[in-house]
Amino acid sequence: MPAVPQRLSWAVETLAVMPGDRLLEIGCGPGVAVSLVCDLLTTGTITAVDRSATAVERAGARNARHLESGRARILRASLEELRLDGERFDKIFAVNVNLFWTRDPARELALISSLLAYGGELSLFYEPPSAERASALAADLTRTLSSHGLTPTVVRGGERLVCVRAS
């Protein structure tokens, strides 16, 4: 297996996953973060979604043992198509998913708010090409999340890694 990208290691570390957490990853790609999260879970679970059939296939292959154990579930869907029948999550996160800053994500943030458990948290992780872009992105996301009634905080992981958390 190739080395784990620093942004994913940092993201999972920053999430502070507890053994019983219920997590939702938006845009799971090949499932690297799913693997890292599952290694920290005992009674908890992660549901990972991606709109790409190729990504879902790769994530499933990478996480076969976690799928079999019931710790992971991987679904092919876009966020706006996601239907989880009343499930709630302690932590919802996304890594380098652009929909939160390229347009008004009102519909998606309303869905996320309905999926968060009481006291739950949304974490949006990015690794832009420069420290300046990371700062600008954090400011943009803070304004966007605040305008939708969420309370954001910014966490930095060096010059280019940024996380905007909201509850």
Side-chain angles (χ1 to χ4, degrees):
M1 289 264 168
V4 173
Q6 180 186 8
R7 71 181 170 277
L8 295 178
S9 299
W10 178 72
V12 172
E13 179 182 320
T14 302
L15 285 170
V17 175
M18 301 301 293
D21 277 346
R22 297 163 297 162
L23 296 97
L24 171 64
E25 181 181 10
I26 301 163
C28 68
V32 176
V34 173
S35 294
L36 295 173
V37 166
C38 282
D39 289 343
L40 301 171
L41 297 174
T42 54
T43 60
T45 60
I46 182 168
T47 298
V49 298
D50 202 293
R51 61 185 180 186
S52 162
T54 301
V56 168
E57 183 180 315
R58 289 180 180 160
R62 177 186 298 269
N63 290 287
R65 69 183 173 97
H66 299 308
L67 292 167
E68 289 173 20
S69 74
R71 280 193 303 268
R73 175 174 55 166
I74 301 170
L75 306 172
R76 181 176 178 222
S78 63
L79 181 56
E80 56 272 6
E81 299 168 336
L82 194 59
R83 302 291 175 263
L84 295 172
D85 298 325
E87 284 186 66
R88 297 287 183 266
F89 299 92
D90 305 303
K91 296 171 182 169
I92 298 176
F93 72 102
V95 180
N96 286 341
V97 173
N98 68 6
L99 76 86
F100 297 101
W101 61 269
T102 57
R103 61 180 172 81
D104 181 11
R107 198 165 90 185
E108 291 84 357
L109 289 174
L111 175 61
I112 287 169
S113 292
S114 75
L115 294 172
L116 279 172
Y118 179 78
E121 189 170 71
L122 168 65
S123 296
L124 303 175
F125 296 93
Y126 294 91
E127 183 183 29
S130 68
E132 295 78 21
R133 184 65 192 124
S135 294
L137 185 57
D140 290 347
L141 287 166
T142 296
R143 277 190 298 277
T144 296
L145 295 174
S146 293
S147 74
H148 289 285
L150 297 166
T151 305
T153 58
V154 176
V155 179
R156 295 295 294 259
E159 290 186 12
R160 293 182 21 217
L161 296 174
V162 64
C163 172
V164 180
R165 288 183 162 159
S167 53

